[in-house]
Amino acid sequence: MIVLGIESSCDETGVALYDTQRGLLAHALHSQVAMHEEYGGVVPELASRDHIRRAIPLLEQTLRNSGLSGANAIRHAEIDAIAYTQGPGLAGALLVGASFACGLGMALDKPIIGIHHLEGHLLSPLLSSNPPEFPFIALLVSGGHTQLMHVRGVGDYVLLGETMDDAAGEAFDKSAKLLGLGYPGGPEISRMAQLGDPSVHQFPRPMLHSKDLHFSFSGLKTAVLTAVRNYGGVLSDQDKANVARGFVDAVVDVLTAKCMTALKQTGLKRLVIAGGVGANQQLRAALNAAAVKKRFQVYYPELEFCTDNGAMIAFAGALRLQANPAAASRDYSFNVRPRWPLSGTQIGQIK
């Protein structure tokens, strides 16, 4: 079975083809980072318009690189279903992908299936050469989401804990902005932290000892703001590096500790990290060290699949359809779900 995946939840347009027999056939991705950089964040209207411009060229590129038969008509005939990101995300951006997928499905007479964006991230480590087996604990750190999930199988997810305010990714971006670093802030503040002195700033570790699996990062962001103000707003590059180091160390300590608690409470020995912050080198180093000490296995998606991408949507769609072929529909009316919890039976319920 070959599934076409379309991702457009925020500021990346992704298209991919996944074959349940041969694996990932091809994928193409366009990032809008350069366009949004001058605004210091994602502008929803610009994001939606750019998705419109990119969708068809990326589809054509994916088809060319897929190894499917030569003529476009034959390529289209070999596709069995179309998966698209139904939510959560920016409403306008989601509508572009949904309308594109449903229009394409109608034109080609192919069934469609809406996929939860976070489920795509959650399952993306299974695309790697060393995929984890179910069950496992998953730390989802993607954009506005920081969650710990007990993953028992495809579609069988139990929420163990989540952020009470700012997500880790939001705290990265906001703290980077306070330091006058570039957009997106996550990679910039992590790079700067490598040059910092860990002894200069000992920022709080929010909810580290809360005895639950929830997170909170708004207070940490406030601590960064206070540190910046204490410098009188004039920071040298080394000052910025020291603040960045204190911030990153605090986030990594909290995420690592909560993961250890989740593993201990469930008795599981497999941990999966998914989402954009999963690419953070300091977090990976801390978790790898903990895995050796505590004797568990930790899995990450390939770096190219940490960011939003079509491959994870095509893959999640394929797994959904393998488990339940009736999950796809030829009802080409569509809706999107900008807010959509990832837990229980709500996943995969398409009208």
Side-chain angles (χ1 to χ4, degrees):
M1 176 173 56
I2 296 176
V3 178
L4 173 68
I6 298 167
E7 156 64 25
S8 69
S9 63
C10 188
D11 59 344
E12 276 100 12
T13 315
V15 178
L17 281 165
Y18 182 83
D19 186 344
T20 54
Q21 298 297 318
R22 292 174 288 172
L24 184 63
L25 300 179
H27 75 104
L29 182 71
H30 174 77
S31 173
Q32 301 174 3
V33 166
M35 181 177 67
H36 297 295
E37 186 174 9
E38 63 178 297
Y39 302 99
V42 176
V43 181
E45 177 66 18
L46 295 180
S48 301
R49 290 175 181 271
D50 199 63
H51 287 308
I52 294 171
R53 287 192 293 267
R54 306 295 177 179
I56 292 177
L58 288 173
L59 172 62
E60 292 174 344
Q61 179 183 341
T62 301
L63 288 170
R64 285 196 304 270
N65 296 336
S66 66
L68 298 182
S69 303
N72 277 341
I74 300 176
R75 287 173 178 164
H76 295 158
E78 292 181 76
I79 297 171
D80 296 297
I82 300 171
Y84 67 95
T85 302
Q86 191 181 21
L90 300 175
L94 291 168
L95 283 168
V96 175
S99 60
F100 181 55
C102 292
L104 193 60
M106 178 181 289
L108 303 178
D109 190 26
K110 304 293 182 181
I112 57 170
I113 179 170
I115 296 297
H116 195 292
H117 176 76
L118 295 183
E119 182 175 34
H121 278 301
L122 187 72
L123 299 175
S124 62
L126 276 70
L127 284 165
S128 68
S129 57
N130 179 34
E133 295 181 357
F134 297 114
F136 53 77
I137 295 298
L139 173 66
L140 278 168
V141 277
S142 171
H145 302 274
T146 301
Q147 299 177 324
L148 274 167
M149 309 289 298
H150 181 179
V151 180
R152 297 183 291 203
V154 176
D156 190 356
Y157 315 126
V158 178
L159 179 65
L160 301 177
E162 61 184 340
T163 184
M164 309 303 292
D165 41 59
D166 283 0
E170 290 174 313
F172 267 93
D173 286 339
K174 292 176 181 177
S175 295
K177 190 171 183 178
L178 290 172
L179 291 172
L181 303 180
Y183 172 84
E188 285 295 309
I189 202 169
S190 296
R191 179 188 60 79
M192 185 68 79
Q194 296 175 2
L195 306 173
D197 183 342
S199 66
V200 176
H201 293 283
Q202 297 294 317
F203 290 130
R205 272 61 173 163
M207 300 188 72
L208 185 63
H209 304 293
S210 62
K211 298 182 180 180
D212 58 33
L213 295 172
H214 294 306
F215 304 88
S216 171
F217 293 104
S218 64
L220 180 56
K221 177 195 64 181
T222 302
V224 171
L225 174 61
T226 300
V228 170
R229 286 177 174 172
N230 287 341
Y231 283 102
V234 181
L235 286 75
S236 67
D237 287 345
Q238 188 58 53
D239 293 333
K240 292 180 180 181
N242 294 339
V243 173
R245 178 61 182 268
F247 167 80
V248 171
D249 285 352
V251 173
V252 168
D253 284 353
V254 170
L255 293 177
T256 302
K258 295 288 184 175
C259 288
M260 299 306 100
T261 301
L263 290 169
K264 182 177 180 180
Q265 288 183 1
T266 59
L268 296 178
K269 294 294 184 180
R270 286 185 289 271
L271 175 67
V272 163
I273 311 300
V277 182
N280 182 274
Q281 295 303 308
Q282 291 95 334
L283 177 60
R284 290 193 177 210
L287 290 172
N288 290 340
V292 172
K293 183 177 180 180
K294 300 291 186 179
R295 297 184 179 181
F296 64 89
Q297 295 174 294
V298 60
Y299 300 85
Y300 310 94
E302 304 293 342
L303 286 176
E304 64 180 323
F305 299 136
C306 285
T307 186
D308 297 346
N309 61 89
M312 68 183 191
I313 302 304
F315 180 63
L319 293 183
R320 280 279 172 184
L321 293 173
Q322 280 186 310
N324 178 21
S329 168
R330 280 184 166 82
D331 177 2
Y332 301 114
S333 60
F334 60 89
N335 59 26
V336 295
R337 304 180 68 172
R339 297 182 180 274
W340 189 8
L342 176 62
S343 61
T345 58
Q346 298 177 76
I347 305 306
Q349 287 188 344
I350 309 302
K351 72 179 186 67

